Amino acid sequence: MISKRFFFFLLSGGIAAAANFGSRILFSLWFPYAAAIVLAYLVGMTTAFILMRKLAFKETSNTQRTQIAWFVVVNAVALLQTLAISLLLAKWVFPWLGVRYLDETIAHAIGVAVPVVTSYLGHKYLSFKN
């Protein structure tokens, strides 16, 4: 069984991931792939902070300023994970495997999913410490 907090973290993160993923597709119309990933990550991160603070981590001993600071740090680490996985898959692994259809979209989806556990732990023990 998963805890109520982890469930709401996943729900918040899922909605934020959808915002991230969808905005990356739109940003890709105007920006290179890596830049679109970073911009989309900012959309997802803002969405995640608002939802996680309201749903998953209602009780916290940190001030809002501290929450934001740690949230940015935790998400910067997650962004590096997302960017590394997305680029690794899209630029090297998928071409080697012959994957050409929706390669960047699939790579980004996997990249967004990778930092779930590290982000949860970072937010639980740093951003929204209780």
Side-chain angles (χ1 to χ4, degrees), residues 24 28 31-40 79 83 86-87 91 104:
R24 199 278 308 159
S28 288
F31 297 98
Y33 183 59
I37 288 173
V38 172
L39 292 170
L79 172 58
L83 191 57
S86 298
L87 291 173
K91 303 301 180 191
E104 289 185 345

Side-chain angles (χ1 to χ4, degrees), residues 16 19-21 23-24 27 34-50 71-72 75-76 79 82 108 112:
N20 178 333
F21 193 72
S23 65
R24 199 278 308 159
F27 286 134
I37 288 173
V38 172
L39 292 170
Y41 207 88
L42 295 174
V43 170
M45 189 170 70
T46 302
T47 304
F49 180 80
I50 293 167
F71 198 86
V72 169
N75 278 283
L79 172 58
T82 298
H108 184 229
V112 168

